[in-house]
Amino acid sequence: MFTNLILIIAVLVSYDYAPESRDLLLSQGKTWHILYLAALFLVVARLRFKNFARRIPQRSKNSNLTILDKLTVQQMLMAVVFFVSCLFLTPLKPFLLEIPIISKIPTLSALLALFMFLGFLIAVWHMAHPMYAKLGQTMVSRREYVRQQVMLVAPILIPWTGFYGVQDILLLIPGASWHGALMSATGQLIYLLVMMTALVLIGPRIVLYFWGCTPVPPGPERDRMEALCQKADFTCAQILRWPLFGGHILTAAVFGIASRFRYVLMTDAMLRMASPDELDAVLSHEIGHAKKKHMLLFLLIVAAMAPAGYLVWSALEIPVLYLSTRFVPMSMEAEQFAWFLNLAQGLFLVTFAVLYLRFVFGYFLRNFERQADLYVYEVLPSALPLVTMFRKIAFFSGRSADEPNWHHFGLNQRIDYILKCESNRLWIDRHNAKVKKSLMILVVVFVGTLVAQGALAWNGFHNRVRLGVTLAALEARPDGMEELDKAPSLLGDMYLAANDIEKAIDAYEKALQIHPDDALTLNNLAWTYATCEKEELQNPKRALELALRAVEISPLPHILDTLAESYYINGMYAQAVETQTRALKMEPDSKNRRIYQEHLDKYLEARDGLQP
């Protein structure tokens, strides 16, 4: 499940940065070319699994399982590569956004894309099943095996869909003031808290419904587990049977954060094959996860990934901006250049997310598991029954007990540490201190990240640095300053990004003296005059004059949006509504449509407020 988390986050970030315009694709691919890429992926995956199957008799069971696990993960990673290729080489995202209902609820487009990616993963699981069955790792049918793998993705998809989908639906409610309140910093914080509360309260029930969990029937095992929960002062909503892959896997879990909405899960194999003492030890381990707040910490550690990634990018962006400005042909259109930088940011954030989850998140997962192992000592006099349970798991799984993975220590590593604690309980305190210290370091880094981001954003400091770097790169080009004359609004754009409004206006006005009919310069200067926060720099009449000229030359959606804003600040609300409606009908980009709709709501409120 944790590997699925990495893959889905990588796909979501890639989709977010994929081009929404067909003009920005890296090739002239057609939508149906996705079928070619999918077919190529299936052929490659099929050949690799067939090659593995031919060599099964030549290796031991442990070796075969190790190689098969690696092969399956490699093919899942290859699925990410092929799917991202679909995003950047074919107009998949523009095609999805052209569907009427999706243009209003953008989360649906990402969800459809995720389902398509899930199709690649289903193909991998479908091919891997016969190999795992041959090696005795699954006793369920291929169809059930694939279904169970898909169900393991539910804890990732359900919260994400709920969080962003509900927000999209709320934004369909008309009203500029409502949209502004929801999208403000305070509104987003309130929304986050409400959705996190909903996730904690109802999220587990929804996931467990998809998993098909049912209560452990009354009997000695249930009575013993309930007695242990009382002894450990542990509250949960229910103890459930977990039908994971037919219940044949020896495993258990605790799911949920709030005590009354938390569940203990046990597979049938665990209930059937664990001795009473071993069952106590396994349950104590799961109670340890809850007592140490590991699930809440998981969410917070993943949440810390985004600000950390953006901060690192803020530093890396400077050399990227310099090199791209220094060497990218100036003939590249401004929109293409901006998308080029956006692509670089997207590639970095995908890489950062994978590395962060693999190493930082993986580090805490491994150490939280060990901390839960050691919590057994707070409930039971000895953790030796957990050792015998680990040995059973190793024996019946057929896997090497020496082999760790990125999110768990190897079983022998866990056994060795428990045996050290049996002889000297100080090792328990040492590990708990290690986890506490690691969490404190993470908190310090996270707070430092937020402070650093605030410092970079303060008074446009980061944008001023970007402006200086861009100008330095242009001066280093033999043709740099000459090319500025060919792109008259570029210097004004850079000053505007750096929040130097006076210099931006001056640069735009000078650019118009050289190229009086440049629609981009007319539009940007009109928008600056219309929306400038400094009242002394606002010029509503000049804004309307410039916007009208820009629309005559190039009646594109973003220029119509500027004209509508110019009408609005001049009190011409009916004209603003009419013009903004035209812009909204012409704009294919979902993000821009949302912004344009907010503007239209504002104009409608102003117009209707004047009517008796």
Side-chain angles (χ1 to χ4, degrees):
M1 187 168 71
F2 294 118
T3 299
N4 292 339
L5 173 66
I6 291 180
L7 299 180
I8 288 176
I9 287 179
V11 167
L12 284 173
V13 175
S14 300
Y15 184 81
D16 190 45
Y17 283 88
E20 296 188 356
S21 170
R22 297 172 188 266
D23 297 333
L24 296 176
L25 293 172
L26 298 180
S27 74
Q28 298 301 314
K30 305 297 183 183
T31 306
W32 54 271
H33 287 169
I34 295 171
L35 299 177
Y36 286 148
L37 290 170
L40 179 60
F41 170 78
L42 293 175
V43 169
V44 172
R46 186 65 177 167
L47 289 174
R48 296 198 68 192
F49 278 111
K50 276 191 172 182
N51 184 55
F52 170 82
R54 284 197 300 269
R55 299 184 180 184
I56 286 179
Q58 304 170 14
R59 295 183 291 250
S60 67
K61 182 177 180 180
N62 280 342
S63 297
N64 275 318
L65 284 174
T66 299
I67 295 172
L68 180 57
D69 287 341
K70 290 180 179 178
L71 174 59
T72 303
V73 172
Q74 287 171 4
Q75 289 308 121
M76 292 169 73
L77 291 172
M78 189 62 66
V80 175
V81 173
F82 271 81
F83 185 74
V84 172
S85 299
C86 291
L87 289 176
F88 288 91
L89 298 178
T90 73
L92 172 59
K93 189 173 182 180
F95 170 76
L96 292 175
L97 293 174
E98 288 167 2
I99 301 173
I101 189 172
I102 288 180
S103 64
K104 297 180 180 179
I105 307 178
T107 301
L108 288 179
S109 70
L111 190 60
L112 285 176
L114 277 176
F115 285 153
M116 295 179 68
F117 170 68
L118 198 57
F120 283 84
L121 295 185
I122 287 173
V124 174
W125 296 326
H126 187 269
M127 295 178 197
H129 172 269
M131 317 300 166
Y132 281 114
K134 190 171 185 177
L135 295 172
Q137 294 302 296
T138 179
M139 290 183 283
V140 298
S141 66
R142 177 182 283 185
R143 179 178 180 179
E144 180 62 17
Y145 178 82
V146 171
R147 190 187 74 83
Q148 290 285 343
Q149 291 283 9
V150 172
M151 288 300 101
L152 286 176
V153 179
I156 306 169
L157 289 185
I158 290 174
W160 175 85
T161 304
F163 185 87
Y164 290 102
V166 170
Q167 179 172 273
D168 284 345
I169 292 172
L170 290 175
L171 287 172
L172 292 177
I173 301 174
S177 57
W178 160 250
H179 290 177
L182 179 61
M183 299 308 293
S184 67
T186 303
Q188 286 292 284
L189 178 60
I190 294 173
Y191 178 76
L192 175 63
L193 293 175
V194 170
M195 292 304 295
M196 288 298 292
T197 302
L199 174 63
V200 169
L201 298 183
I202 66 175
R205 292 290 298 271
I206 296 174
V207 172
L208 295 176
Y209 170 79
F210 278 99
W211 283 354
C213 297
T214 56
V216 172
E221 292 89 356
R222 184 180 181 91
D223 292 341
R224 188 179 182 95
M225 287 189 287
E226 289 178 346
L228 186 68
C229 289
Q230 290 181 351
K231 177 183 176 182
D233 191 25
F234 171 74
T235 303
C236 65
Q238 187 61 270
I239 302 174
L240 302 175
R241 292 175 58 250
W242 191 9
L244 181 66
F245 299 110
H248 300 302
I249 297 177
L250 276 167
T251 191
V254 62
F255 195 65
I257 297 174
S259 59
R260 295 179 60 187
F261 302 90
R262 182 167 55 209
Y263 301 84
V264 173
L265 311 181
M266 293 278 180
T267 61
D268 287 344
M270 181 64 72
L271 293 170
R272 184 176 63 252
M273 300 180 67
S275 70
D277 288 341
E278 289 169 346
L279 193 61
D280 285 349
V282 170
L283 180 56
S284 298
H285 169 96
E286 301 305 334
I287 291 173
H289 279 307
K291 291 288 188 177
K292 297 296 184 179
K293 311 294 184 186
H294 288 164
M295 193 163 185
L296 176 61
L297 291 171
F298 289 158
L299 294 176
L300 295 177
I301 292 169
V302 172
M305 175 179 64
Y310 281 110
L311 178 66
V312 176
W313 170 251
S314 297
L316 291 179
E317 181 189 25
I318 301 305
V320 171
L321 179 62
Y322 179 86
L323 292 173
S324 56
T325 306
R326 176 77 172 80
F327 297 107
V328 169
M330 294 291 288
S331 58
M332 180 181 290
E333 295 182 3
E335 185 181 13
Q336 291 176 320
F337 184 72
W339 182 80
F340 173 80
L341 293 177
N342 206 43
L343 174 62
Q345 181 183 16
L347 291 174
F348 166 77
L349 291 177
V350 168
T351 304
F352 181 86
V354 171
L355 294 177
Y356 179 93
L357 292 171
R358 169 63 179 82
F359 294 104
V360 178
F361 188 55
Y363 168 83
F364 282 101
L365 284 175
R366 293 191 301 274
N367 284 282
F368 285 168
E369 280 298 318
R370 176 165 288 171
Q371 194 174 39
D373 290 345
L374 303 181
Y375 188 82
V376 174
Y377 288 102
E378 299 191 31
V379 183
L380 304 174
S382 171
L384 288 178
L386 191 62
V387 170
T388 60
M389 192 68 241
F390 285 160
R391 288 172 176 159
K392 278 186 181 180
I393 292 172
F395 176 78
F396 286 105
S397 70
R399 300 175 184 275
S400 171
D402 293 317
E403 186 176 347
N405 57 45
W406 69 272
H407 51 81
H408 280 71
F409 289 114
L411 288 175
N412 276 343
Q413 289 177 301
R414 296 170 72 177
I415 289 171
D416 290 343
Y417 201 90
I418 290 173
L419 294 178
K420 286 167 63 175
C421 295
E422 284 289 326
S423 59
N424 186 349
R425 300 296 171 90
L426 288 177
W427 287 103
I428 300 174
D429 296 332
R430 289 182 183 180
H431 185 73
N432 287 332
K434 173 187 174 182
V435 172
K436 184 177 180 180
K437 182 179 178 181
S438 299
L439 287 171
M440 290 178 64
I441 292 173
L442 184 67
V443 169
V444 170
V445 171
F446 179 69
V447 172
T449 297
L450 295 180
V451 171
Q453 285 187 325
L456 287 173
W458 181 75
N459 202 25
F461 172 76
H462 185 62
N463 284 329
R464 290 200 300 274
V465 172
R466 295 177 82 253
L467 171 62
V469 168
T470 303
L471 291 175
L474 287 171
E475 290 175 357
R477 293 179 67 127
D479 60 343
M481 302 314 290
E482 295 177 6
E483 292 292 345
L484 268 181
D485 292 335
K486 299 178 183 178
S489 66
L490 179 59
L491 191 58
D493 292 344
M494 291 189 292
Y495 281 125
L496 190 62
N499 202 33
D500 195 336
I501 306 300
E502 292 186 44
K503 288 186 178 180
I505 290 175
D506 185 58
Y508 285 138
E509 291 286 8
K510 289 180 179 178
L512 285 179
Q513 293 176 11
I514 302 171
H515 300 281
D517 294 327
D518 185 82
L520 183 60
T521 305
L522 290 165
N523 176 78
N524 292 351
L525 182 55
W527 182 262
T528 304
Y529 277 135
T531 62
C532 177
E533 294 181 358
K534 296 181 179 180
E535 293 185 7
E536 64 272 18
L537 296 178
Q538 287 184 0
N539 193 334
K541 292 184 178 180
R542 176 72 168 151
L544 182 57
E545 173 193 341
L546 294 167
L548 286 169
R549 285 171 55 193
V551 168
E552 288 180 6
I553 298 168
S554 180
L556 295 174
H558 67 281
I559 297 180
L560 288 169
D561 178 59
T562 299
L563 177 58
E565 184 68 23
S566 300
Y567 278 132
Y568 172 76
I569 62 168
N570 280 279
M572 305 168 69
Y573 303 135
Q575 292 91 328
V577 169
E578 179 185 355
T579 305
Q580 191 67 20
T581 302
R582 286 175 58 197
L584 194 59
K585 289 180 178 179
M586 294 172 61
E587 178 57 57
D589 186 292
S590 60
K591 294 180 181 178
N592 288 342
R593 286 181 59 84
R594 178 180 293 176
I595 295 171
Y596 291 177
Q597 183 62 54
E598 292 175 7
H599 293 173
L600 179 58
D601 291 340
K602 179 177 70 174
Y603 306 151
L604 285 168
E605 284 187 6
R607 185 197 65 181
D608 296 342
L610 291 179
Q611 295 178 356

